[in-house]
Amino acid sequence: MGAPGTPRREVVTGATGAFRQGHGLSGTARTPRRGHGPRGSTARIRAHEDVPAADPAAVRALMRRQLRLAAVTAGLLVALIGPLPLAFRALPDAATRPGGALVVWAVLGVAAYPALLLIGRWYVVHAERNERDAGDPTGRA
């Protein structure tokens, strides 16, 4: 590698295989480089070839459910947040009425965020439920 007194460089990226086997970070020096030896990327690619393919009908059904959920969520966002510019346009001019700008800022800065958080939480819960109900499409337990 370099001069005789230069310490050996250790590769710490991609050390998850050695780390899982209980070697910790010190095991990374013994881990072969990618494509070399049994624990290299070549072995990982072969392991993926042994995995059965997912049922295409089950994957399509899950994707349809997730797409439907995304469309409903987008519709909720449009229905709740979309009319805000129209509502603000209907308000009297903030220059002529004191506190007019305060109403706009209160709605945008306070009322909109809990609605966005609730819709986001609802989406995540239902998306996870869809995936859980679909099970593992590959048939692996």
Side-chain angles (χ1 to χ4, degrees):
M1 228 191 233
T6 306
R8 184 171 186 269
R9 291 177 60 183
E10 293 187 24
V11 179
V12 294
T13 58
T16 56
F19 199 75
R20 271 191 231 121
Q21 294 175 0
H23 295 294
L25 290 178
S26 63
T28 57
R30 293 186 299 266
T31 304
R33 290 185 182 169
R34 257 188 261 174
H36 300 286
R39 289 191 294 182
S41 64
T42 309
R44 278 187 233 124
I45 290 172
R46 283 193 204 113
H48 289 295
E49 290 173 357
D50 297 337
V51 175
D55 179 27
V59 172
R60 274 194 302 272
L62 176 61
M63 289 176 65
R64 262 194 313 270
R65 284 194 303 269
Q66 296 290 54
L67 180 62
R68 188 178 312 121
L69 178 63
V72 168
T73 303
L76 279 171
L77 285 172
V78 167
L80 293 176
I81 307 297
L84 286 179
L86 297 174
F88 294 149
R89 184 73 174 142
L91 290 175
D93 189 20
T96 60
R97 184 175 146 215
L102 181 63
V103 171
V104 171
W105 281 107
V107 169
L108 285 177
V110 178
Y113 287 104
L116 291 173
L117 286 173
L118 288 174
I119 291 172
R121 177 68 181 153
W122 179 83
Y123 173 78
V124 168
V125 166
H126 282 79
E128 288 176 348
R129 185 180 303 154
N130 282 345
E131 291 177 1
R132 188 175 51 247
D133 290 346
D136 190 5
T138 62
R140 293 176 291 163

